[in-house]
Amino acid sequence: MSRYIVRRFVLLIPTLFGVTFLVFALMRFLPGDVVNSLLGTEATFSEEQRATLRRLLGLDQPIYVQYLDWLRSLARLDLGVSFRSSEPVLQMVIDRASVTIELALLSVIVSTVIAVPLGVITATHRGNKADVLAHFVGLVGLSIPSFWLAILLLLVTTLYIPWSPKLIWINPLDDPVQNLKQMVLPVIALSLSLVAVVMRMTRSSMLETLGQDYVRTARAKGLRERLVVLRHALRNALIPVVTVIGLQIGNLLGGAVVIEQIFGLPGIGSMILTAINQRDYPVVQGGVLFVAIAFLLINLCVDLLYVYIDPRIRY
Amino acid sequence: MSQASPVTTMAATLGDAAVVSPSRPPRPGAGAFMKVVREPIGLIGLVIIVTLIVVAILAPVIAPYPPDDQPGRRLESPNSTYWLGTDDLGRDIFSRLLYGARVSLQVGIIAVGIALVIGGILGLLSGYYVGIVDALVQRLVDILLAFPTLILVIALTTVMGASTATAMIAIGIAYSPAIARVVRGATLQVRQEQYVEAGKTIGVGPSRMILRHIVPNIAPPVIVQSTLLLSTAILAEAALSFLGLGTQPPAASWGAMLGAGRKYMETAPWVAIFPGLAISITVLGFNLLGDAMRDALDPRLRQR
């Protein structure tokens, strides 16, 4: 087990190097000059001033030197400072990521609580009307774009309920109740497709385990159906479900950007999007690196979780 | 355990498509088509998609107005002249939706085609040659999977300049790891088969072996994955255009129409409601079809 964990960590290193290289290269290919983006293209600033700024930002160095410098500071956990606000990127990433993590976790919790029971019920009542309906509704849930749902939710709340969420971020540490209220609509918008994904996975995985010999044995011993389904089938059906949930958390970290934009949530996706538009290299690099590390670590955790769900798995 | 973790398999967006088993499925053909059509889910999906294709092709004939004409007043509510109302520039929304079908289908099909080519080559090399090639390709796939997809697409479109074409290329590149995973898994399984061994023994070369014997036999899971990926690609284009990074105005793209309509949501909700509905129905069509094809092509699921 510990050898396996070590090996997985070692394998993370080349992947992360690849990510650093990819994001660095992508940023340098972006058309438009960061200095012009900062100072504007008008003649207010002389060529000399522009050159000075370029030197201060380290952009006069050859690209490979810039890359190596960035890697060197990464090794000291220093993500640099924003070209625009001079804020340390690490602090920006922590601030912004906490918003997205809250959003992602709330969405995943809400959708899991709804989806897993639905998946179990449809699997145990396979083929009847409720199952067929759930199948169809699940597909509809997968097909509705979250950003469209978000807009509809905003419309409905403003038209029919004398309440609409504030589109300015409220820190949960300042006002947890207002913060949660603010999260309701974004979480609903993100949860619909998550419910569909998790329900479908639970259903098909349950169908698979319900057909196994040990389930037949459990029934043959005269165990109550409830116990057979929950203790014997569900537990063993959970592995693919946990996998999907883990992947969804990872995807939401970078993928909730449109929802963040609509609801004015200062999440990590929005931060990266703005930074791409402003050619703020260090912020994009730091943000993407954070999302990639989080994604890889979540995957690793899910793999390790298997051991607890299914004691037959040994690494 | 091998290096490929079970977690990184492409369960991400596809729900239980991840359970697709590539184990010796029958070749897709007329029989599979009948099975897809016999299921209500498959039939509805097929009808939606065929209608959509017809609409896309015949848009200039069916549409009451050219997509960029401004025949009406701005933000007219749906009426007998403008069935779905007009947008902020007085353009007929119904006509623009019909033309928008072209953009969505085109982006979906070409993006998935690009993903199939890149992912297919990577997956085949990785699954057929194993060893060092496999290890290298798998690292590449891991890197692309760890890179947040939408951010990758956004960065690529920014690099190449926002347009429908770059949206297709960016989405295609971003989804190629998903295809590579499926192709690799299926190839690994097929290469164990006796007919592959036999072919090797009688001296069939690798390119002939891959093209003639492996590709046809890994087709079913790849077809299923591609159909489901089509819906994801259409959603991605819509999201990009919604953010203003995909199809550029004045071209009619559902995502862009939705993004532009958002501003008038409270006074003229139809401007944003109908494009969203069009996206949902299209994506639903591909999802229904994909589900039905999986049931038809995956013998393991059919037994249940």
Side-chain angles (χ1 to χ4, degrees):
Chain A
M1 179 78 181
S2 55
R3 266 189 64 195
Y4 172 77
I5 298 177
V6 170
R7 218 184 66 201
R8 284 291 299 273
F9 265 106
V10 172
L11 274 175
L12 286 186
I13 297 169
T15 309
L16 279 176
F17 262 110
V19 172
T20 61
F21 183 76
L22 186 60
V23 64
F24 189 88
L26 263 178
M27 286 312 287
R28 307 299 139 152
F29 276 122
L30 287 185
D33 188 23
V34 59
V35 171
N36 287 344
S37 151
L38 283 171
L39 300 181
T41 39
E42 294 89 44
T44 337
F45 297 93
S46 68
E47 267 315 304
E48 224 169 280
Q49 286 171 309
R50 288 173 196 275
T52 314
L53 180 60
R54 195 162 282 133
R55 200 175 56 243
L56 284 175
L57 297 176
L59 294 171
D60 57 335
Q61 303 279 341
I63 291 207
Y64 72 92
V65 176
Q66 293 182 32
Y67 179 60
L68 291 178
D69 279 348
W70 181 51
L71 286 187
R72 221 170 281 139
S73 36
L74 274 185
R76 297 190 307 264
L77 289 181
D78 173 12
L79 295 183
V81 293
S82 160
F83 281 173
R84 208 151 261 268
S85 63
S86 302
E87 225 182 310
V89 174
L90 185 61
Q91 191 56 46
M92 286 176 79
V93 167
I94 292 172
D95 289 347
R96 301 300 207 93
S98 55
V99 177
T100 308
I101 290 172
E102 184 191 356
L103 180 64
L105 284 183
L106 283 174
S107 307
V108 165
I109 292 169
V110 167
S111 44
T112 305
V113 168
I114 298 172
V116 170
L118 275 181
V120 171
I121 292 168
T122 49
T124 48
H125 296 76
R126 180 171 181 249
N128 73 8
K129 279 188 189 130
D131 180 34
V132 175
L133 185 72
H135 187 183
F136 194 77
V137 171
L139 281 172
V140 171
L142 274 185
S143 309
I144 293 178
S146 61
F147 49 93
W148 185 54
L149 181 63
I151 295 176
L152 292 184
L153 286 170
L154 275 176
L155 177 71
V156 170
T157 47
T158 38
L159 287 186
Y160 299 106
I161 308 173
W163 171 83
S164 63
K166 289 195 181 60
L167 297 181
I168 302 162
W169 170 244
I170 302 157
N171 194 319
L173 298 179
D174 297 340
D175 192 344
V177 178
Q178 281 303 321
N179 170 270
L180 279 180
K181 272 190 183 171
Q182 180 178 36
M183 285 293 190
V184 171
L185 292 187
V187 166
I188 295 176
L190 285 175
S191 292
L192 182 70
S193 65
L194 287 181
V195 168
V197 169
V198 176
M199 182 192 81
R200 283 157 57 85
M201 185 54 97
T202 309
R203 178 180 179 275
S204 68
S205 179
M206 275 298 284
L207 283 179
E208 183 136 349
T209 46
L210 282 172
Q212 299 287 326
D213 287 341
Y214 57 78
V215 170
R216 199 176 315 139
T217 311
R219 283 196 179 124
K221 312 196 279 204
L223 279 186
R224 270 177 302 143
E225 187 61 20
R226 218 184 137 75
L227 225 62
V228 174
V229 169
L230 293 182
R231 179 126 10 119
H232 291 257
L234 181 59
R235 182 169 176 148
N236 288 298
L238 275 181
I239 286 193
V241 179
V242 169
T243 308
V244 155
I245 294 173
L247 273 172
Q248 296 300 331
I249 301 177
N251 284 338
L252 280 182
L253 291 182
V257 46
V258 187
I259 293 296
E260 291 171 5
Q261 292 277 317
I262 293 174
F263 290 100
L265 299 176
I268 188 114
S270 297
M271 178 189 87
I272 298 173
L273 182 64
T274 315
I276 289 179
N277 288 333
Q278 298 177 336
R279 309 291 184 265
D280 198 340
Y281 301 159
V283 176
V284 180
Q285 289 166 188
V288 168
L289 196 61
F290 168 81
V291 175
I293 291 176
F295 182 86
L296 293 168
L297 287 182
I298 291 169
N299 278 351
L300 182 58
C301 291
V302 168
D303 279 1
L304 298 179
L305 207 62
Y306 288 170
V307 179
Y308 293 96
I309 298 175
D310 188 346
R312 288 172 303 182
I313 295 178
R314 283 275 165 266
Y315 292 124
Chain B
M1 208 182 120
S2 75
Q3 291 169 337
S5 110
V7 180
T8 35
T9 45
M10 183 50 202
T13 44
L14 300 165
D16 45 0
V19 202
V20 166
S21 146
S23 59
R24 294 254 46 209
R27 291 195 181 192
F33 177 77
M34 286 315 293
K35 275 183 202 109
V36 168
V37 180
R38 218 176 293 139
E39 291 290 321
I41 281 192
L43 189 62
I44 299 172
L46 198 67
V47 168
I48 293 178
I49 301 304
V50 170
T51 313
L52 204 74
I53 293 172
V54 171
V55 161
I57 294 172
L58 295 182
V61 183
I62 317 173
Y65 302 96
D68 301 333
D69 262 23
Q70 306 177 337
R73 282 175 293 118
R74 61 192 304 266
L75 303 177
E76 277 189 63
S77 56
N79 55 48
S80 58
T81 323
Y82 309 109
W83 295 348
L84 304 181
T86 61
D87 66 5
D88 52 319
L89 296 174
R91 295 174 298 194
D92 179 39
I93 292 180
F94 179 63
S95 303
R96 288 178 67 74
L97 278 187
L98 297 181
Y99 278 93
R102 297 182 152 194
V103 176
S104 281
L105 281 181
Q106 204 184 349
V107 171
I109 291 167
I110 296 182
V112 171
I114 292 173
L116 270 175
V117 171
I118 302 177
I121 292 174
L122 288 178
L124 280 168
L125 289 177
S126 181
Y128 187 75
Y129 287 107
V130 294
I132 183 85
V133 180
D134 187 32
L136 286 176
V137 172
Q138 286 313 303
R139 286 291 78 72
L140 186 66
V141 168
D142 279 350
I143 292 165
L144 282 173
L145 279 178
F147 210 96
T149 313
L150 201 52
I151 303 286
L152 178 63
V153 173
I154 289 171
L156 284 173
T157 41
T158 317
V159 170
M160 298 184 286
S163 76
T164 314
T166 53
M168 294 190 239
I169 298 172
I171 295 169
I173 293 174
Y175 287 143
S176 51
I179 297 281
R181 289 268 154 165
V182 176
V183 171
R184 173 179 179 265
T187 308
L188 279 176
Q189 217 139 20
V190 169
R191 73 190 282 277
Q192 313 283 344
E193 299 291 340
Q194 272 185 346
Y195 57 83
V196 174
E197 288 296 317
K200 275 187 190 160
T201 324
I202 59 167
V204 176
S207 58
R208 189 184 157 83
M209 178 67 84
I210 289 176
L211 292 177
R212 288 292 297 278
H213 300 283
I214 293 191
V215 169
N217 284 296
I218 63 169
V222 178
I223 292 172
V224 172
Q225 177 84 333
S226 306
T227 313
L228 293 167
L229 211 52
L230 267 170
S231 60
T232 321
I234 289 173
L235 279 177
E237 189 273 335
L240 267 186
S241 299
F242 179 81
L243 292 173
L245 293 165
T247 308
Q248 294 300 302
S253 148
W254 295 338
M257 291 168 73
L258 182 48
R262 191 181 141 199
K263 279 179 281 194
Y264 312 102
M265 202 60 200
E266 283 171 40
T267 47
W270 56 88
V271 184
I273 286 178
F274 293 119
L277 206 56
I279 299 170
S280 305
I281 293 172
T282 306
V283 173
L284 178 65
F286 282 111
N287 279 336
L288 288 168
L289 196 63
D291 254 27
M293 289 202 336
R294 193 196 49 220
D295 291 348
L297 292 174
D298 190 338
R300 210 176 52 129
L301 286 165
R302 205 171 35 208
Q303 285 161 6
R304 296 200 196 125

